[in-house]
Amino acid sequence: LMLCYFSSCSSWLPQRVPLRGSHWQSSLLELRTSLPVRAQPKKKKKVDVKKEQAQKDRMKKKLKKLEKAAPELIPIEDFIPPLKYSDSSRVRSLPALSPEESERRVLLLKKWSVFKQKQDEAEKNAIKCLVESQQEALKELRLESEELYEAAIRRDEGLFPFQRDGPSYTPPLPGYDPPEGKCIDITKVYTQ
Amino acid sequence: GALLGCHRSYRSRPTHGIGKFKYLLPKEVPKKKKEKVQMKEIDAGTEYQYGDVNIQMTSHDLCLVEHFAQYVHRLCNSLSIRVNESYAMPTRTNEVLFMEEKGSKMQLDAVLTTHQRVIQVCGLSSTFAPILLEIIQSSQPEGVHLLMKQHTEADFKSRLKSRPELEELLAEMS
Protein backbone atom coordinates (compact mmCIF):
# COMPACT_ATOMS: atom_id res chain seq x y z
CA LEU A 1 0.00 0.00 0.00
CA MET A 2 2.88 2.34 0.90
CA LEU A 3 4.60 1.69 -2.44
CA CYS A 4 1.59 2.65 -4.49
CA TYR A 5 1.26 5.90 -2.59
CA PHE A 6 4.87 6.82 -3.13
CA SER A 7 5.21 5.72 -6.76
CA SER A 8 2.88 8.48 -7.88
CA CYS A 9 5.13 11.24 -6.48
CA SER A 10 8.45 9.90 -7.91
CA SER A 11 7.84 7.81 -10.97
CA TRP A 12 11.43 7.70 -12.29
CA LEU A 13 12.46 5.32 -9.52
CA PRO A 14 11.80 1.54 -10.13
CA GLN A 15 8.65 0.30 -8.45
CA ARG A 16 10.39 -2.28 -6.29
CA VAL A 17 12.69 0.11 -4.39
CA PRO A 18 10.82 1.44 -1.41
CA LEU A 19 11.14 5.13 -0.65
CA ARG A 20 12.21 6.30 2.71
CA GLY A 21 9.92 9.17 2.52
CA SER A 22 7.91 8.45 5.63
CA HIS A 23 8.90 8.34 9.28
CA TRP A 24 7.18 4.98 10.02
CA GLN A 25 9.51 3.10 7.76
CA SER A 26 12.67 2.50 9.79
CA SER A 27 14.94 0.93 7.16
CA LEU A 28 15.08 0.35 3.48
CA LEU A 29 15.80 -3.27 4.03
CA GLU A 30 12.48 -4.07 5.69
CA LEU A 31 10.57 -4.94 2.54
CA ARG A 32 13.50 -6.28 0.59
CA THR A 33 15.99 -8.96 1.56
CA SER A 34 18.90 -7.77 -0.63
CA LEU A 35 20.53 -4.34 -0.75
CA PRO A 36 18.78 -2.35 -3.49
CA VAL A 37 21.65 -1.18 -5.70
CA ARG A 38 20.24 0.70 -8.65
CA ALA A 39 21.27 -0.97 -11.90
CA GLN A 40 22.39 -4.41 -10.57
CA PRO A 41 19.08 -6.11 -9.70
CA LYS A 42 17.66 -5.71 -13.21
CA LYS A 43 20.64 -7.40 -14.88
CA LYS A 44 20.62 -10.31 -12.43
CA LYS A 45 16.98 -11.00 -13.09
CA LYS A 46 17.38 -10.93 -16.89
CA VAL A 47 20.31 -13.33 -16.90
CA ASP A 48 18.51 -15.64 -14.48
CA VAL A 49 15.38 -15.69 -16.56
CA LYS A 50 17.35 -16.41 -19.71
CA LYS A 51 19.33 -19.18 -18.05
CA GLU A 52 16.19 -20.71 -16.64
CA GLN A 53 14.51 -20.53 -20.02
CA ALA A 54 17.50 -22.15 -21.72
CA GLN A 55 17.56 -24.90 -19.09
CA LYS A 56 13.85 -25.51 -19.53
CA ASP A 57 14.25 -25.71 -23.29
CA ARG A 58 17.09 -28.20 -22.93
CA MET A 59 14.99 -30.32 -20.61
CA LYS A 60 12.06 -30.18 -22.99
CA LYS A 61 14.27 -31.27 -25.87
CA LYS A 62 15.66 -34.16 -23.83
CA LEU A 63 12.15 -35.18 -22.83
CA LYS A 64 11.00 -35.12 -26.46
CA LYS A 65 13.93 -37.26 -27.51
CA LEU A 66 13.28 -39.82 -24.77
CA GLU A 67 9.58 -39.88 -25.50
CA LYS A 68 10.25 -40.49 -29.18
CA ALA A 69 11.93 -43.80 -28.42
CA ALA A 70 9.26 -46.51 -28.36
CA PRO A 71 8.86 -48.48 -25.12
CA GLU A 72 10.43 -51.94 -25.23
CA LEU A 73 9.11 -55.22 -23.87
CA ILE A 74 11.11 -56.94 -21.14
CA PRO A 75 12.89 -59.95 -22.72
CA ILE A 76 11.58 -63.29 -21.49
CA GLU A 77 14.34 -65.44 -20.01
CA ASP A 78 12.35 -68.62 -20.72
CA PHE A 79 12.75 -68.17 -24.46
CA ILE A 80 16.48 -67.43 -24.45
CA PRO A 81 18.41 -70.73 -24.40
CA PRO A 82 21.29 -70.67 -21.90
CA LEU A 83 24.76 -70.25 -23.36
CA LYS A 84 25.97 -73.68 -22.27
CA TYR A 85 23.67 -75.30 -24.84
CA SER A 86 24.90 -73.17 -27.73
CA ASP A 87 27.81 -75.55 -28.36
CA SER A 88 26.38 -77.60 -31.24
CA SER A 89 29.44 -79.79 -31.83
CA ARG A 90 28.15 -82.52 -29.46
CA VAL A 91 25.80 -84.93 -31.20
CA ARG A 92 23.92 -87.68 -29.37
CA SER A 93 23.77 -91.12 -30.99
CA LEU A 94 20.65 -93.10 -30.12
CA PRO A 95 20.77 -96.89 -29.87
CA ALA A 96 18.95 -98.91 -32.55
CA LEU A 97 15.49 -100.15 -31.52
CA SER A 98 14.52 -103.82 -31.70
CA PRO A 99 11.35 -104.58 -33.72
CA GLU A 100 9.50 -105.69 -30.53
CA GLU A 101 10.35 -102.40 -28.87
CA SER A 102 9.22 -100.30 -31.85
CA GLU A 103 6.04 -102.42 -32.10
CA ARG A 104 5.35 -101.85 -28.41
CA ARG A 105 5.89 -98.12 -28.83
CA VAL A 106 3.53 -97.87 -31.80
CA LEU A 107 0.78 -99.79 -29.96
CA LEU A 108 1.30 -97.57 -26.88
CA LEU A 109 0.97 -94.48 -29.04
CA LYS A 110 -2.28 -95.76 -30.49
CA LYS A 111 -3.67 -96.54 -27.04
CA TRP A 112 -2.67 -93.07 -25.87
CA SER A 113 -4.33 -91.36 -28.81
CA VAL A 114 -7.55 -93.32 -28.19
CA PHE A 115 -7.45 -92.34 -24.51
CA LYS A 116 -6.92 -88.69 -25.36
CA GLN A 117 -9.71 -88.78 -27.94
CA LYS A 118 -12.14 -90.19 -25.34
CA GLN A 119 -11.03 -87.51 -22.87
CA ASP A 120 -11.56 -84.75 -25.43
CA GLU A 121 -14.97 -86.11 -26.42
CA ALA A 122 -16.03 -86.27 -22.77
CA GLU A 123 -15.01 -82.64 -22.34
CA LYS A 124 -16.93 -81.52 -25.42
CA ASN A 125 -19.95 -83.45 -24.15
CA ALA A 126 -19.69 -81.79 -20.76
CA ILE A 127 -19.60 -78.35 -22.37
CA LYS A 128 -22.59 -79.20 -24.55
CA CYS A 129 -24.60 -80.46 -21.55
CA LEU A 130 -23.75 -77.36 -19.51
CA VAL A 131 -24.77 -75.01 -22.32
CA GLU A 132 -27.98 -76.93 -23.02
CA SER A 133 -29.09 -77.01 -19.41
CA GLN A 134 -28.25 -73.34 -19.06
CA GLN A 135 -30.33 -72.44 -22.11
CA GLU A 136 -33.24 -74.53 -20.84
CA ALA A 137 -33.09 -72.88 -17.44
CA LEU A 138 -33.02 -69.43 -19.04
CA LYS A 139 -35.99 -70.35 -21.24
CA GLU A 140 -38.02 -71.46 -18.20
CA LEU A 141 -36.97 -68.33 -16.34
CA ARG A 142 -38.15 -66.19 -19.22
CA LEU A 143 -41.53 -67.87 -19.07
CA GLU A 144 -41.63 -67.23 -15.32
CA SER A 145 -40.69 -63.55 -15.31
CA GLU A 146 -39.14 -61.27 -17.92
CA GLU A 147 -37.48 -59.08 -15.29
CA LEU A 148 -35.54 -61.93 -13.71
CA TYR A 149 -34.52 -63.18 -17.14
CA GLU A 150 -33.10 -59.77 -18.05
CA ALA A 151 -31.18 -59.63 -14.78
CA ALA A 152 -29.80 -63.15 -15.35
CA ILE A 153 -28.64 -62.30 -18.89
CA ARG A 154 -26.56 -59.37 -17.68
CA ARG A 155 -22.88 -59.86 -16.95
CA ASP A 156 -21.76 -60.63 -13.42
CA GLU A 157 -19.43 -57.93 -12.08
CA GLY A 158 -18.36 -60.13 -9.19
CA LEU A 159 -17.06 -62.91 -11.44
CA PHE A 160 -13.72 -61.22 -12.24
CA PRO A 161 -11.13 -61.15 -10.76
CA PHE A 162 -11.21 -64.88 -10.06
CA GLN A 163 -8.33 -66.74 -8.41
CA ARG A 164 -7.75 -70.39 -7.69
CA ASP A 165 -4.72 -72.39 -6.62
CA GLY A 166 -4.13 -75.68 -8.38
CA PRO A 167 -5.13 -78.87 -6.52
CA SER A 168 -2.43 -80.54 -4.41
CA TYR A 169 -1.38 -84.20 -4.41
CA THR A 170 -1.90 -84.58 -0.69
CA PRO A 171 -3.96 -82.67 1.85
CA PRO A 172 -2.08 -80.34 4.23
CA LEU A 173 -0.40 -82.10 7.17
CA PRO A 174 -2.17 -81.40 10.47
CA GLY A 175 -0.02 -79.64 13.03
CA TYR A 176 2.92 -79.01 10.68
CA ASP A 177 5.29 -76.34 11.96
CA PRO A 178 7.11 -74.76 9.02
CA PRO A 179 10.65 -73.41 9.63
CA GLU A 180 11.13 -69.66 9.61
CA GLY A 181 12.56 -68.19 6.49
CA LYS A 182 12.28 -65.50 3.89
CA CYS A 183 12.08 -64.98 0.15
CA ILE A 184 14.34 -62.55 -1.67
CA ASP A 185 13.35 -61.39 -5.12
CA ILE A 186 16.43 -61.46 -7.34
CA THR A 187 14.71 -60.82 -10.68
CA LYS A 188 16.90 -58.83 -13.03
CA VAL A 189 15.55 -55.30 -13.54
CA TYR A 190 15.72 -54.12 -17.13
CA THR A 191 15.83 -50.41 -17.83
CA GLN A 192 15.57 -48.63 -21.15
CA GLY B 1 11.27 -37.81 -89.19
CA ALA B 2 10.66 -38.00 -85.39
CA LEU B 3 8.86 -41.37 -85.61
CA LEU B 4 11.83 -43.12 -87.25
CA GLY B 5 14.03 -42.18 -84.26
CA CYS B 6 11.89 -43.94 -81.50
CA HIS B 7 12.79 -47.53 -80.50
CA ARG B 8 9.78 -48.46 -78.34
CA SER B 9 9.02 -52.22 -78.33
CA TYR B 10 5.33 -52.87 -78.73
CA ARG B 11 3.58 -55.78 -77.02
CA SER B 12 2.98 -57.59 -80.30
CA ARG B 13 6.60 -57.44 -81.39
CA PRO B 14 8.96 -60.30 -80.50
CA THR B 15 11.32 -57.77 -78.93
CA HIS B 16 8.82 -56.93 -76.21
CA GLY B 17 10.35 -57.19 -72.78
CA ILE B 18 13.89 -57.13 -74.08
CA GLY B 19 16.25 -55.96 -71.37
CA LYS B 20 14.11 -57.26 -68.45
CA PHE B 21 16.08 -59.34 -65.96
CA LYS B 22 14.49 -58.86 -62.52
CA TYR B 23 12.25 -61.88 -63.10
CA LEU B 24 15.37 -64.05 -63.28
CA LEU B 25 16.65 -62.99 -59.84
CA PRO B 26 15.45 -64.75 -56.64
CA LYS B 27 12.49 -63.06 -54.94
CA GLU B 28 13.57 -60.55 -52.31
CA VAL B 29 11.60 -60.68 -49.03
CA PRO B 30 10.48 -57.10 -48.24
CA LYS B 31 12.34 -55.75 -45.21
CA LYS B 32 10.04 -55.84 -42.19
CA LYS B 33 9.92 -52.49 -40.44
CA LYS B 34 10.20 -52.88 -36.67
CA GLU B 35 6.68 -52.65 -35.22
CA LYS B 36 6.40 -50.17 -32.37
CA VAL B 37 5.08 -51.65 -29.16
CA GLN B 38 1.84 -49.81 -28.68
CA MET B 39 -1.01 -50.53 -26.38
CA LYS B 40 -4.11 -51.70 -28.19
CA GLU B 41 -7.41 -50.15 -27.15
CA ILE B 42 -8.86 -51.95 -24.19
CA ASP B 43 -12.34 -53.22 -24.91
CA ALA B 44 -14.54 -52.66 -21.90
CA GLY B 45 -17.35 -54.82 -23.17
CA THR B 46 -21.07 -54.26 -23.02
CA GLU B 47 -23.69 -55.32 -20.47
CA TYR B 48 -23.95 -58.74 -22.06
CA GLN B 49 -20.26 -59.23 -22.93
CA TYR B 50 -17.06 -59.11 -20.95
CA GLY B 51 -14.58 -57.29 -23.20
CA ASP B 52 -10.84 -57.97 -22.77
CA VAL B 53 -10.22 -60.66 -20.15
CA ASN B 54 -6.77 -61.94 -19.14
CA ILE B 55 -6.34 -65.60 -18.16
CA GLN B 56 -3.07 -65.65 -16.18
CA MET B 57 -1.46 -68.98 -15.32
CA THR B 58 1.45 -68.95 -12.86
CA SER B 59 3.64 -71.80 -11.74
CA HIS B 60 7.16 -72.79 -10.77
CA ASP B 61 7.13 -75.56 -13.38
CA LEU B 62 7.84 -74.11 -16.83
CA CYS B 63 6.75 -77.07 -19.00
CA LEU B 64 3.52 -77.54 -17.05
CA VAL B 65 2.43 -73.93 -17.34
CA GLU B 66 3.44 -73.80 -21.01
CA HIS B 67 1.39 -76.90 -21.83
CA PHE B 68 -1.58 -75.67 -19.85
CA ALA B 69 -1.47 -72.36 -21.71
CA GLN B 70 -1.41 -74.24 -25.01
CA TYR B 71 -4.37 -76.33 -23.88
CA VAL B 72 -6.39 -73.24 -22.90
CA HIS B 73 -5.55 -71.54 -26.20
CA ARG B 74 -6.66 -74.59 -28.21
CA LEU B 75 -9.83 -74.80 -26.11
CA CYS B 76 -10.68 -71.18 -26.88
CA ASN B 77 -10.02 -71.79 -30.56
CA SER B 78 -12.34 -74.79 -30.64
CA LEU B 79 -15.08 -72.84 -28.85
CA SER B 80 -14.68 -69.94 -31.32
CA ILE B 81 -13.70 -67.50 -28.58
CA ARG B 82 -11.57 -64.73 -30.00
CA VAL B 83 -8.03 -64.84 -28.61
CA ASN B 84 -6.44 -61.38 -28.85
CA GLU B 85 -2.99 -62.25 -27.56
CA SER B 86 -1.13 -65.12 -25.98
CA TYR B 87 2.12 -64.02 -24.36
CA ALA B 88 4.52 -64.76 -21.53
CA MET B 89 5.21 -62.43 -18.63
CA PRO B 90 8.83 -61.96 -17.53
CA THR B 91 10.16 -64.74 -15.29
CA ARG B 92 10.57 -63.88 -11.62
CA THR B 93 13.43 -65.48 -9.63
CA ASN B 94 13.25 -65.88 -5.86
CA GLU B 95 15.86 -67.04 -3.39
CA VAL B 96 14.30 -69.05 -0.59
CA LEU B 97 16.18 -69.00 2.71
CA PHE B 98 15.19 -70.78 5.85
CA MET B 99 16.38 -70.53 9.44
CA GLU B 100 18.27 -73.57 10.74
CA GLU B 101 16.68 -75.37 13.66
CA LYS B 102 19.75 -75.12 15.93
CA GLY B 103 21.24 -71.81 14.95
CA SER B 104 20.49 -68.27 13.99
CA LYS B 105 21.92 -68.27 10.47
CA MET B 106 19.72 -68.21 7.39
CA GLN B 107 20.52 -71.05 5.03
CA LEU B 108 19.88 -71.01 1.33
CA ASP B 109 17.32 -73.66 0.49
CA ALA B 110 16.61 -73.13 -3.19
CA VAL B 111 16.36 -70.70 -6.08
CA LEU B 112 12.82 -70.78 -7.45
CA THR B 113 11.70 -69.36 -10.78
CA THR B 114 8.08 -68.33 -11.27
CA HIS B 115 6.74 -68.45 -14.82
CA GLN B 116 3.55 -66.82 -16.00
CA ARG B 117 1.61 -67.16 -19.22
CA VAL B 118 -1.26 -64.90 -20.22
CA ILE B 119 -4.03 -65.52 -22.73
CA GLN B 120 -6.17 -62.53 -23.59
CA VAL B 121 -9.66 -63.32 -24.83
CA CYS B 122 -12.33 -60.95 -26.01
CA GLY B 123 -16.07 -61.09 -26.44
CA LEU B 124 -16.98 -63.63 -23.77
CA SER B 125 -20.73 -63.66 -23.41
CA SER B 126 -22.16 -63.30 -19.92
CA THR B 127 -23.78 -66.75 -20.07
CA PHE B 128 -20.75 -68.62 -21.42
CA ALA B 129 -18.03 -67.13 -19.18
CA PRO B 130 -18.89 -69.22 -16.08
CA ILE B 131 -18.96 -72.38 -18.22
CA LEU B 132 -15.49 -71.65 -19.63
CA LEU B 133 -14.23 -70.95 -16.12
CA GLU B 134 -15.65 -74.29 -14.93
CA ILE B 135 -13.97 -76.22 -17.76
CA ILE B 136 -10.59 -74.55 -17.20
CA GLN B 137 -10.82 -75.23 -13.47
CA SER B 138 -11.64 -78.90 -13.99
CA SER B 139 -8.45 -79.41 -16.01
CA GLN B 140 -6.23 -77.18 -13.86
CA PRO B 141 -3.04 -79.14 -13.03
CA GLU B 142 -1.28 -79.24 -9.65
CA GLY B 143 0.92 -76.30 -8.84
CA VAL B 144 -0.59 -73.99 -11.43
CA HIS B 145 -2.30 -70.90 -10.06
CA LEU B 146 -5.13 -69.56 -12.19
CA LEU B 147 -6.21 -65.94 -12.27
CA MET B 148 -8.87 -64.47 -14.53
CA LYS B 149 -9.31 -60.71 -14.56
CA GLN B 150 -10.20 -57.86 -16.85
CA HIS B 151 -7.36 -56.34 -18.82
CA THR B 152 -6.12 -52.95 -17.66
CA GLU B 153 -3.45 -50.50 -18.78
CA ALA B 154 -1.38 -51.36 -15.71
CA ASP B 155 -1.22 -54.97 -16.90
CA PHE B 156 0.21 -53.83 -20.21
CA LYS B 157 2.67 -51.42 -18.60
CA SER B 158 4.05 -54.18 -16.37
CA ARG B 159 5.42 -55.89 -19.49
CA LEU B 160 7.49 -52.85 -20.51
CA LYS B 161 10.98 -51.91 -19.40
CA SER B 162 11.16 -49.16 -16.82
CA ARG B 163 12.53 -45.81 -17.98
CA PRO B 164 14.03 -44.07 -14.95
CA GLU B 165 15.50 -41.16 -16.95
CA LEU B 166 12.15 -40.28 -18.49
CA GLU B 167 10.41 -40.51 -15.13
CA GLU B 168 13.09 -38.35 -13.50
CA LEU B 169 12.71 -35.67 -16.16
CA LEU B 170 8.93 -35.73 -15.92
CA ALA B 171 9.15 -35.34 -12.15
CA GLU B 172 11.53 -32.41 -12.56
CA MET B 173 9.32 -30.70 -15.12
CA SER B 174 6.17 -30.76 -13.03
Side-chain angles (χ1 to χ4, degrees):
Chain A
L1 290 160
M2 275 189 286
L3 294 169
C4 301
Y5 172 68
F6 284 121
S7 64
S8 56
C9 48
S10 47
S11 53
W12 56 275
L13 273 174
Q15 291 275 7
R16 291 294 188 97
V17 180
L19 293 169
R20 265 217 74 194
S22 77
H23 57 277
W24 344 293
Q25 208 179 352
S26 48
S27 77
L28 282 164
L29 298 170
E30 250 183 32
L31 290 167
R32 286 187 54 128
T33 49
S34 60
L35 214 54
V37 182
R38 196 80 68 75
Q40 271 281 311
K42 258 192 179 163
K43 249 198 212 166
K44 262 199 195 156
K45 267 183 263 169
K46 253 196 196 163
V47 166
D48 271 345
V49 159
K50 268 197 179 168
K51 260 196 188 169
E52 264 185 54
Q53 198 66 34
Q55 212 182 31
K56 270 197 181 170
D57 280 334
R58 263 182 277 141
M59 270 173 55
K60 278 196 189 157
K61 260 193 176 174
K62 229 183 169 183
L63 197 78
K64 261 193 188 173
K65 215 183 173 184
L66 281 175
E67 276 188 344
K68 236 189 181 179
E72 286 170 32
L73 289 174
I74 302 177
I76 313 280
E77 287 160 19
D78 297 344
F79 301 150
I80 306 166
L83 289 168
K84 62 178 183 179
Y85 301 129
S86 60
D87 176 32
S88 55
S89 56
R90 191 187 98 145
V91 175
R92 218 200 278 198
S93 60
L94 296 166
L97 290 171
S98 64
E100 293 91 14
E101 180 64 30
S102 52
E103 187 77 24
R104 187 188 81 91
R105 286 192 187 188
V106 165
L107 285 171
L108 191 65
L109 215 72
K110 284 186 185 278
K111 273 194 233 174
W112 176 249
S113 58
V114 166
F115 167 77
K116 277 310 244 181
Q117 186 191 39
K118 291 244 157 62
Q119 204 183 46
D120 191 46
E121 250 174 78
E123 192 182 65
K124 287 201 161 60
N125 249 351
I127 298 178
K128 204 170 83 157
C129 285
L130 281 170
V131 169
E132 266 175 13
S133 51
Q134 195 186 49
Q135 291 299 336
E136 219 183 282
L138 282 172
K139 206 169 68 177
E140 291 297 317
L141 186 64
R142 193 165 206 179
L143 292 171
E144 270 291 323
S145 96
E146 192 70 34
E147 231 178 70
L148 286 174
Y149 172 77
E150 283 297 316
I153 282 285
R154 277 165 189 278
R155 75 185 210 186
D156 184 10
E157 302 298 335
L159 188 60
F160 300 129
F162 174 82
Q163 275 202 72
R164 186 186 174 233
D165 272 329
S168 48
Y169 282 109
T170 52
L173 288 171
Y176 172 65
D177 184 28
E180 278 179 39
K182 63 179 178 193
C183 246
I184 314 174
D185 194 1
I186 53 169
T187 321
K188 185 171 168 189
V189 174
Y190 291 90
T191 50
Q192 190 173 1
Chain B
L3 283 169
L4 286 170
C6 84
H7 299 280
R8 290 167 68 185
S9 45
Y10 287 84
R11 284 182 238 170
S12 52
R13 294 283 165 114
T15 52
H16 175 67
I18 203 163
K20 274 194 191 172
F21 65 91
K22 206 155 180 198
Y23 67 99
L24 294 170
L25 294 170
K27 273 254 163 77
E28 232 180 60
V29 175
K31 227 164 114 178
K32 213 169 65 168
K33 208 172 180 185
K34 204 170 179 186
E35 274 173 28
K36 273 193 177 173
V37 175
Q38 246 182 7
M39 191 180 84
K40 292 189 203 161
E41 250 183 63
I42 298 176
D43 184 9
T46 63
E47 279 171 357
Y48 306 102
Q49 270 192 350
Y50 278 99
D52 283 338
V53 171
N54 278 355
I55 307 176
Q56 294 179 343
M57 294 151 281
T58 324
S59 173
H60 294 296
D61 188 353
L62 173 66
C63 299
L64 198 59
V65 76
E66 185 78 40
H67 285 139
F68 187 48
Q70 283 180 10
Y71 160 77
V72 169
H73 197 166
R74 287 213 176 104
L75 185 73
C76 292
N77 282 349
S78 64
L79 296 168
S80 345
I81 301 172
R82 200 190 122 148
V83 174
N84 281 348
E85 276 186 75
S86 165
Y87 54 85
M89 292 292 280
T91 320
R92 305 199 71 82
T93 322
N94 281 324
E95 254 182 18
V96 179
L97 305 141
F98 73 92
M99 187 92 82
E100 279 181 62
E101 273 178 46
K102 293 169 197 172
S104 56
K105 204 174 74 165
M106 286 283 201
Q107 198 191 58
L108 180 66
D109 193 22
V111 177
L112 287 177
T113 50
T114 313
H115 310 266
Q116 191 178 59
R117 299 284 182 274
V118 180
I119 294 188
Q120 200 183 92
V121 293
C122 178
L124 264 180
S125 73
S126 52
T127 48
F128 194 69
I131 296 180
L132 181 72
L133 197 58
E134 187 67 42
I135 295 291
I136 294 179
Q137 273 185 80
S138 67
S139 52
Q140 193 180 353
E142 297 85 1
V144 173
H145 178 88
L146 176 73
L147 167 66
M148 263 178 107
K149 64 191 275 282
Q150 309 217 295
H151 185 58
T152 56
E153 201 177 318
D155 289 325
F156 177 76
K157 290 245 161 83
S158 64
R159 287 174 77 189
L160 302 172
K161 286 189 191 167
S162 67
R163 300 158 102 174
E165 304 154 340
L166 189 69
E167 279 163 34
E168 252 180 54
L169 267 179
L170 279 168
E172 262 184 68
M173 290 284 280
S174 56

